[in-house]
Amino acid sequence: MKVRKSVHAGIVAVLLAAGLVNTPPASSVPASSVEATPVLPVPGYQLAWSDEFDGARLDTGSWFYREGEKAICSNNPGNVSVADGSLRIALKREDRNGMPYTCGGVISQKTFGYGYYETRAKLWGDQGFHSAFWTTGLSDYVPDTPQYKGPNNRVNEIDGFEVDSHAPDVFSQVSHWFVPQHVGNPGGVYRGPDSSDGYHVYGFEWTPTQVRYFIDGQLTRVLPKPGPHGLQNIWLTTLGFTAPVDETNLPGETAWDYFRYYAPVQPDADVSAGTVVVDNGDSGYAESGRWTDDVTDGHHQTFGFQDKDVRRTDDPTASAAWRPQLPAKQSYEVFVWNPSFLHTGQKAARYTVSHDGGQTAAVVNQDSAGQQWVSLGAYRMTPGRGQGVRVTSDPAGSGTLRADAVKFVPAVVVDNDQTGYSEQGPWQSSSSVTGWRGQDTRWSGDPAATARWAPTLPRSTTYDVYAWIPDGRQDSETRIGVTDPGYTESGAWAASSLTGWDGTATRTTNDTKATAEWRPELPIAGRYEVSAWVPNDAISTTAARYTVDHPGGQSSVEVDQTTGGKQWVSLGTYDFAAGTAGRVTIANAAGRGYLRTNVVRFVRVGADEATPPTYTVTHAGGVSTVAPDLSLGVDRWVKLGNFAFEAGSKGSVTVSASGGVVRADAVKFLAAPARNQLPSAPNAVTAFVQPNPSNGDQVLQVRWLPTGAIGYHVYLDGNRVTWQPVRGGSFRMYELLAGQTHRVTMTSVDRTGKESAPSTPFVVRVPVDKVPPATPAQVSAEATNGGAVLYWPQSTEVDLHGYNVYVDGRRITDVPTGNPADAQSRALGFPVPDLTNDVTHTLAVTVVDQSGNESKPATVPVTPKPMAVVGITDPGYTETGTWSGSSVAGWQGTSTRTSNIATATADWRPTLETSGEYDVYAWVPNHLNSTTAARYTVTHASGSDATTLDQTTGGARWILLGRYPFTAGTTAHITLTNAAGTGWLRTSAVKFVPATSGLGGAR
């Protein structure tokens, strides 16, 4: 029997009105109310949209069918149905469009951003099929999606799970992004429940700084750097994927109980009607030094605030400044929008705030801060003095500096180290529990202790009051993982592919005398429960002995690591002094099997607050006692209420430790705007498309008359295309597709996120594109045996569809080839087969855009030769020692092999057709951790010669080892050794080119 969970239509309606999902206010939301309220594994989210699949058929107003061919199946809309409260995707043995199987899937028409995504599904368990719960955008550039009528929104891909049916308990959890080029975010596999034995709940949380994966409510993986934010579609799909397919029980099906998207509930602590925003195109913005728009291969990297252009510089002397037109002399909290999701981001962007008190610097790592507003602090500023923010590259940092927007929010913030903050009774500082802006917090467990915040307010009015409530668990919980300073080992240990707590690394050893130790630095003396997270595997030890050293002596617990792990196991509760005197040691008491380590934690007993802290607010109307609502989580601004205050320092907020341990950080006072009044829709909305014939771009320009709202949202054909509300009266969006017609509507947004009714639609037509793309540049060809390899850089045509390849005037590509979403794909080479050796052929490449326009050809001659090429999968390649596959790409993007064993060797032995002189090449992979002395020894007819190459740099190409005489047959060979004795030795392909062909087209 299928257990159903409820969703609440009322909550959905409120959130739609609040603009937390990109659906026009007039849209309806499918929802049902049944048995139980869903419990999320993470706080801070509320249901924004769902489909419970309770109808008689698929809601085609909310979902596309997946179409096209993929792997070994054809996606057939007829394989998708809704029955018994579930979406069903059938798997059939039938021929369709050249494929032996049919499969299917659905793609949401609505798009979603940061939030928590969840589905409940029962997958198929017989071999041959691949099911996935994932998010990515639609695009005409992707052949297996329906014809999309909006802009290209294929920005990123987050795989909540991918499961191959022959291994139903193995879940691949990874992410990718496609701008400015394809980047894979290394994830991995998680071995969990059997996905085919019944329904299981799968979810992932997408935030500006990470993706967290869950199965049945348990955290299974954490991936940092989630890539750019783009409003993306959700996909529920099942493909025929892996041959041979087990056809015993076909037709089969996967069943999907529901899909739910939970939007983050954002506090309005940084939103005010008096906010002043200076974007990088506004009059208050200025630059010095060399700056450019952030453009890659013709594509604007529009990931700034309001989805606008980002500016970038690699000039170490460059700077950018934001000078606002401030309305009044008062305190402002200053925020910068971090636009960079790239690995190239400046690691130490130095923002300097000039204010009444002088200048204050704050350093932001643009590489890891996420796409979000980052607070630089609150400062008193005076209009007319030219105060504002300036950014430069810090000499200690590296990477590309990017500049976008700065906002100035009229707010008074009193932190625990500033004027206006005071304490009574004993308080201590905590550096492990951080608060607002990552600063230290204060804590006390004395019932008589109090902390008080007394602001100096600029005027008499009503204020929304917020307290930053830290996550206090870190003060009462000390964790040590295998990469932390308190962890040490003796004996032979190695990294393990098993994941530990929160997706952290684990270590393993089969050295029966090896031990490991965790030594914590406890901040407070007290009684602690000690636990270990236990990885488990069938080949592990049956008796991992954990020994706890504490002031009372030693206590040991033996744990079977072959089963029952993947959880915290208690090692007991003991008294400890503050400091590093306590420890936990692990040894293999069984004397066999693999011993494994991960995280040990010490949790102070009774340290957590028994109840949430109670705040006392003294205001113009009296005194109010507030118990804050922590249901959305902690480590954030929590609203205490709305109160009237007189100007000056007459009001205050007080907290006491009467209910247990209390933590004191910062309190914010934000002038409250008028309430209960939805803004009216924008007036005089107009739109037009401006073509850019030089690169095929079609740029939508939208303009309107502002209504005094906090911001505005833009909708294209009913789908919201603005993530953040736009301030001002204009918006632009790149990369519309030529020849299409769109309806543009807009809404106004108030401070709480509520939207007005949509404006009157404005119809805009994208012009037809009749301009051919530019001829490809820098086309080169490499000769092979009876063929060639073509190379060319990615075209900067924005509406790129692909490339056509011609041989001696005859087109050999049935459809345009290439991956427009991957700017690096052409560097891997395009193989051209079936050419005649010792005959010069003319190869040509053209660029084709989405409208079918084709560029003039770029031609290159090539003369194939009867050379011998041996790769790592060919019979002539052998190894000695321990080797493994590597993700470092080799010739034509093929796999490479690697070994860190100093004595390992590799050998390539070709079959040469004729005797004579040959030019010998090696394709040399390179990586920073490779050996600096890879020795290639060529054995030839006159003896042997060695060439030593540095594999850390200068590779990723053919390198000539020399010209040597060889006899026909298999006596010639190349042997590779690690002459340095350290670093990773890497292999790809070698080739032997008859000397009469010159250098064989080396690149």
Side-chain angles (χ1 to χ4, degrees), residues 290-308:
R290 299 186 301 274
W291 289 82
T292 63
D293 283 346
D294 206 350
V295 179
T296 303
D297 294 310
H299 297 268
H300 284 255
Q301 304 306 320
T302 54
F303 294 101
F305 172 63
Q306 305 181 138
D307 306 322
K308 290 293 187 70

PDB file of all heavy atoms in Angstrom, residues 290-308:
ATOM      1  N   ARG A 290      41.474  48.515 -16.608  1.00  0.00           N
ATOM      2  CA  ARG A 290      40.914  47.796 -17.754  1.00  0.00           C
ATOM      3  C   ARG A 290      39.788  46.867 -17.298  1.00  0.00           C
ATOM      4  O   ARG A 290      40.027  45.888 -16.582  1.00  0.00           O
ATOM      5  CB  ARG A 290      42.010  46.996 -18.461  1.00  0.00           C
ATOM      6  CG  ARG A 290      43.142  47.858 -19.015  1.00  0.00           C
ATOM      7  CD  ARG A 290      44.128  47.020 -19.837  1.00  0.00           C
ATOM      8  NE  ARG A 290      44.718  45.937 -19.046  1.00  0.00           N
ATOM      9  CZ  ARG A 290      45.792  46.071 -18.285  1.00  0.00           C
ATOM     10  NH1 ARG A 290      46.400  47.249 -18.200  1.00  0.00           N
ATOM     11  NH2 ARG A 290      46.278  45.042 -17.610  1.00  0.00           N
ATOM     12  N   TRP A 291      38.570  47.153 -17.727  1.00  0.00           N
ATOM     13  CA  TRP A 291      37.397  46.340 -17.426  1.00  0.00           C
ATOM     14  C   TRP A 291      36.684  45.985 -18.727  1.00  0.00           C
ATOM     15  O   TRP A 291      36.714  46.750 -19.690  1.00  0.00           O
ATOM     16  CB  TRP A 291      36.413  47.086 -16.524  1.00  0.00           C
ATOM     17  CG  TRP A 291      36.869  47.279 -15.111  1.00  0.00           C
ATOM     18  CD1 TRP A 291      37.713  48.254 -14.662  1.00  0.00           C
ATOM     19  CD2 TRP A 291      36.525  46.487 -13.983  1.00  0.00           C
ATOM     20  NE1 TRP A 291      37.903  48.125 -13.307  1.00  0.00           N
ATOM     21  CE2 TRP A 291      37.190  47.052 -12.853  1.00  0.00           C
ATOM     22  CE3 TRP A 291      35.721  45.365 -13.787  1.00  0.00           C
ATOM     23  CZ2 TRP A 291      37.073  46.522 -11.575  1.00  0.00           C
ATOM     24  CZ3 TRP A 291      35.588  44.842 -12.520  1.00  0.00           C
ATOM     25  CH2 TRP A 291      36.257  45.408 -11.429  1.00  0.00           C
ATOM     26  N   THR A 292      36.021  44.829 -18.759  1.00  0.00           N
ATOM     27  CA  THR A 292      35.202  44.426 -19.905  1.00  0.00           C
ATOM     28  C   THR A 292      33.947  43.748 -19.392  1.00  0.00           C
ATOM     29  O   THR A 292      33.871  43.328 -18.229  1.00  0.00           O
ATOM     30  CB  THR A 292      35.956  43.450 -20.835  1.00  0.00           C
ATOM     31  OG1 THR A 292      36.252  42.243 -20.099  1.00  0.00           O
ATOM     32  CG2 THR A 292      37.241  44.070 -21.361  1.00  0.00           C
ATOM     33  N   ASP A 293      32.958  43.616 -20.286  1.00  0.00           N
ATOM     34  CA  ASP A 293      31.815  42.768 -19.958  1.00  0.00           C
ATOM     35  C   ASP A 293      32.304  41.324 -19.821  1.00  0.00           C
ATOM     36  O   ASP A 293      33.247  40.911 -20.501  1.00  0.00           O
ATOM     37  CB  ASP A 293      30.746  42.833 -21.047  1.00  0.00           C
ATOM     38  CG  ASP A 293      29.916  44.101 -20.980  1.00  0.00           C
ATOM     39  OD1 ASP A 293      29.981  44.793 -19.949  1.00  0.00           O
ATOM     40  OD2 ASP A 293      29.221  44.404 -21.968  1.00  0.00           O
ATOM     41  N   ASP A 294      31.649  40.559 -18.952  1.00  0.00           N
ATOM     42  CA  ASP A 294      32.017  39.159 -18.775  1.00  0.00           C
ATOM     43  C   ASP A 294      31.354  38.355 -19.892  1.00  0.00           C
ATOM     44  O   ASP A 294      30.171  38.000 -19.806  1.00  0.00           O
ATOM     45  CB  ASP A 294      31.567  38.670 -17.396  1.00  0.00           C
ATOM     46  CG  ASP A 294      32.416  37.517 -16.890  1.00  0.00           C
ATOM     47  OD1 ASP A 294      33.214  36.991 -17.674  1.00  0.00           O
ATOM     48  OD2 ASP A 294      32.297  37.165 -15.710  1.00  0.00           O
ATOM     49  N   VAL A 295      32.112  38.090 -20.960  1.00  0.00           N
ATOM     50  CA  VAL A 295      31.599  37.415 -22.147  1.00  0.00           C
ATOM     51  C   VAL A 295      32.524  36.247 -22.482  1.00  0.00           C
ATOM     52  O   VAL A 295      33.747  36.407 -22.483  1.00  0.00           O
ATOM     53  CB  VAL A 295      31.512  38.377 -23.350  1.00  0.00           C
ATOM     54  CG1 VAL A 295      31.009  37.648 -24.588  1.00  0.00           C
ATOM     55  CG2 VAL A 295      30.608  39.557 -23.031  1.00  0.00           C
ATOM     56  N   THR A 296      31.940  35.079 -22.723  1.00  0.00           N
ATOM     57  CA  THR A 296      32.708  33.902 -23.133  1.00  0.00           C
ATOM     58  C   THR A 296      32.101  33.335 -24.399  1.00  0.00           C
ATOM     59  O   THR A 296      30.910  33.015 -24.426  1.00  0.00           O
ATOM     60  CB  THR A 296      32.696  32.827 -22.028  1.00  0.00           C
ATOM     61  OG1 THR A 296      33.216  33.387 -20.820  1.00  0.00           O
ATOM     62  CG2 THR A 296      33.540  31.637 -22.439  1.00  0.00           C
ATOM     63  N   ASP A 297      32.916  33.235 -25.453  1.00  0.00           N
ATOM     64  CA  ASP A 297      32.442  32.709 -26.735  1.00  0.00           C
ATOM     65  C   ASP A 297      31.174  33.404 -27.206  1.00  0.00           C
ATOM     66  O   ASP A 297      30.246  32.771 -27.729  1.00  0.00           O
ATOM     67  CB  ASP A 297      32.215  31.191 -26.644  1.00  0.00           C
ATOM     68  CG  ASP A 297      33.510  30.438 -26.438  1.00  0.00           C
ATOM     69  OD1 ASP A 297      34.454  30.688 -27.193  1.00  0.00           O
ATOM     70  OD2 ASP A 297      33.574  29.609 -25.515  1.00  0.00           O
ATOM     71  N   GLY A 298      31.115  34.710 -26.982  1.00  0.00           N
ATOM     72  CA  GLY A 298      29.969  35.496 -27.420  1.00  0.00           C
ATOM     73  C   GLY A 298      28.806  35.507 -26.464  1.00  0.00           C
ATOM     74  O   GLY A 298      27.854  36.269 -26.637  1.00  0.00           O
ATOM     75  N   HIS A 299      28.840  34.688 -25.416  1.00  0.00           N
ATOM     76  CA  HIS A 299      27.737  34.602 -24.465  1.00  0.00           C
ATOM     77  C   HIS A 299      27.997  35.523 -23.275  1.00  0.00           C
ATOM     78  O   HIS A 299      29.035  35.426 -22.623  1.00  0.00           O
ATOM     79  CB  HIS A 299      27.568  33.166 -23.957  1.00  0.00           C
ATOM     80  CG  HIS A 299      27.215  32.188 -25.021  1.00  0.00           C
ATOM     81  ND1 HIS A 299      25.911  31.869 -25.345  1.00  0.00           N
ATOM     82  CD2 HIS A 299      27.986  31.458 -25.860  1.00  0.00           C
ATOM     83  CE1 HIS A 299      25.896  30.980 -26.323  1.00  0.00           C
ATOM     84  NE2 HIS A 299      27.154  30.718 -26.655  1.00  0.00           N
ATOM     85  N   HIS A 300      27.046  36.405 -22.974  1.00  0.00           N
ATOM     86  CA  HIS A 300      27.143  37.252 -21.803  1.00  0.00           C
ATOM     87  C   HIS A 300      26.884  36.425 -20.549  1.00  0.00           C
ATOM     88  O   HIS A 300      25.899  35.690 -20.471  1.00  0.00           O
ATOM     89  CB  HIS A 300      26.109  38.392 -21.870  1.00  0.00           C
ATOM     90  CG  HIS A 300      26.482  39.478 -22.821  1.00  0.00           C
ATOM     91  ND1 HIS A 300      26.953  40.700 -22.421  1.00  0.00           N
ATOM     92  CD2 HIS A 300      26.469  39.513 -24.175  1.00  0.00           C
ATOM     93  CE1 HIS A 300      27.210  41.447 -23.470  1.00  0.00           C
ATOM     94  NE2 HIS A 300      26.916  40.758 -24.555  1.00  0.00           N
ATOM     95  N   GLN A 301      27.787  36.532 -19.576  1.00  0.00           N
ATOM     96  CA  GLN A 301      27.596  35.826 -18.314  1.00  0.00           C
ATOM     97  C   GLN A 301      26.723  36.704 -17.414  1.00  0.00           C
ATOM     98  O   GLN A 301      27.214  37.476 -16.609  1.00  0.00           O
ATOM     99  CB  GLN A 301      28.947  35.521 -17.674  1.00  0.00           C
ATOM    100  CG  GLN A 301      29.891  34.742 -18.578  1.00  0.00           C
ATOM    101  CD  GLN A 301      29.265  33.462 -19.117  1.00  0.00           C
ATOM    102  OE1 GLN A 301      28.551  32.754 -18.410  1.00  0.00           O
ATOM    103  NE2 GLN A 301      29.516  33.166 -20.376  1.00  0.00           N
ATOM    104  N   THR A 302      25.422  36.579 -17.599  1.00  0.00           N
ATOM    105  CA  THR A 302      24.462  37.485 -16.959  1.00  0.00           C
ATOM    106  C   THR A 302      23.990  36.911 -15.633  1.00  0.00           C
ATOM    107  O   THR A 302      22.822  36.573 -15.457  1.00  0.00           O
ATOM    108  CB  THR A 302      23.270  37.735 -17.894  1.00  0.00           C
ATOM    109  OG1 THR A 302      22.729  36.458 -18.290  1.00  0.00           O
ATOM    110  CG2 THR A 302      23.694  38.485 -19.133  1.00  0.00           C
ATOM    111  N   PHE A 303      24.915  36.810 -14.676  1.00  0.00           N
ATOM    112  CA  PHE A 303      24.551  36.229 -13.392  1.00  0.00           C
ATOM    113  C   PHE A 303      24.709  37.239 -12.258  1.00  0.00           C
ATOM    114  O   PHE A 303      24.965  36.879 -11.126  1.00  0.00           O
ATOM    115  CB  PHE A 303      25.366  34.963 -13.142  1.00  0.00           C
ATOM    116  CG  PHE A 303      25.026  33.882 -14.123  1.00  0.00           C
ATOM    117  CD1 PHE A 303      25.842  33.626 -15.205  1.00  0.00           C
ATOM    118  CD2 PHE A 303      23.851  33.166 -14.003  1.00  0.00           C
ATOM    119  CE1 PHE A 303      25.517  32.658 -16.132  1.00  0.00           C
ATOM    120  CE2 PHE A 303      23.508  32.199 -14.929  1.00  0.00           C
ATOM    121  CZ  PHE A 303      24.347  31.942 -15.996  1.00  0.00           C
ATOM    122  N   GLY A 304      24.547  38.491 -12.600  1.00  0.00           N
ATOM    123  CA  GLY A 304      24.575  39.527 -11.585  1.00  0.00           C
ATOM    124  C   GLY A 304      23.197  39.745 -10.995  1.00  0.00           C
ATOM    125  O   GLY A 304      22.220  39.086 -11.340  1.00  0.00           O
ATOM    126  N   PHE A 305      23.103  40.702 -10.075  1.00  0.00           N
ATOM    127  CA  PHE A 305      21.805  41.091  -9.520  1.00  0.00           C
ATOM    128  C   PHE A 305      20.923  41.565 -10.668  1.00  0.00           C
ATOM    129  O   PHE A 305      21.389  42.231 -11.585  1.00  0.00           O
ATOM    130  CB  PHE A 305      22.009  42.204  -8.492  1.00  0.00           C
ATOM    131  CG  PHE A 305      20.724  42.809  -7.988  1.00  0.00           C
ATOM    132  CD1 PHE A 305      19.816  42.038  -7.292  1.00  0.00           C
ATOM    133  CD2 PHE A 305      20.445  44.136  -8.221  1.00  0.00           C
ATOM    134  CE1 PHE A 305      18.637  42.591  -6.820  1.00  0.00           C
ATOM    135  CE2 PHE A 305      19.272  44.699  -7.752  1.00  0.00           C
ATOM    136  CZ  PHE A 305      18.364  43.922  -7.050  1.00  0.00           C
ATOM    137  N   GLN A 306      19.650  41.197 -10.616  1.00  0.00           N
ATOM    138  CA  GLN A 306      18.677  41.534 -11.656  1.00  0.00           C
ATOM    139  C   GLN A 306      18.995  40.833 -12.977  1.00  0.00           C
ATOM    140  O   GLN A 306      18.542  41.253 -14.034  1.00  0.00           O
ATOM    141  CB  GLN A 306      18.599  43.051 -11.894  1.00  0.00           C
ATOM    142  CG  GLN A 306      18.310  43.847 -10.650  1.00  0.00           C
ATOM    143  CD  GLN A 306      18.211  45.340 -10.877  1.00  0.00           C
ATOM    144  OE1 GLN A 306      17.335  45.980 -10.331  1.00  0.00           O
ATOM    145  NE2 GLN A 306      19.090  45.897 -11.672  1.00  0.00           N
ATOM    146  N   ASP A 307      19.830  39.766 -12.938  1.00  0.00           N
ATOM    147  CA  ASP A 307      20.179  39.016 -14.145  1.00  0.00           C
ATOM    148  C   ASP A 307      20.866  39.888 -15.187  1.00  0.00           C
ATOM    149  O   ASP A 307      20.780  39.624 -16.379  1.00  0.00           O
ATOM    150  CB  ASP A 307      18.924  38.369 -14.756  1.00  0.00           C
ATOM    151  CG  ASP A 307      18.189  37.521 -13.739  1.00  0.00           C
ATOM    152  OD1 ASP A 307      18.880  36.875 -12.949  1.00  0.00           O
ATOM    153  OD2 ASP A 307      16.946  37.522 -13.750  1.00  0.00           O
ATOM    154  N   LYS A 308      21.535  40.934 -14.767  1.00  0.00           N
ATOM    155  CA  LYS A 308      22.190  41.858 -15.694  1.00  0.00           C
ATOM    156  C   LYS A 308      23.645  41.476 -15.902  1.00  0.00           C
ATOM    157  O   LYS A 308      24.193  40.587 -15.271  1.00  0.00           O
ATOM    158  CB  LYS A 308      22.088  43.292 -15.164  1.00  0.00           C
ATOM    159  CG  LYS A 308      20.674  43.878 -15.199  1.00  0.00           C
ATOM    160  CD  LYS A 308      20.197  44.068 -16.626  1.00  0.00           C
ATOM    161  CE  LYS A 308      18.868  44.811 -16.659  1.00  0.00           C
ATOM    162  NZ  LYS A 308      19.011  46.204 -16.271  1.00  0.00           N
TER     163      LYS A 308
END
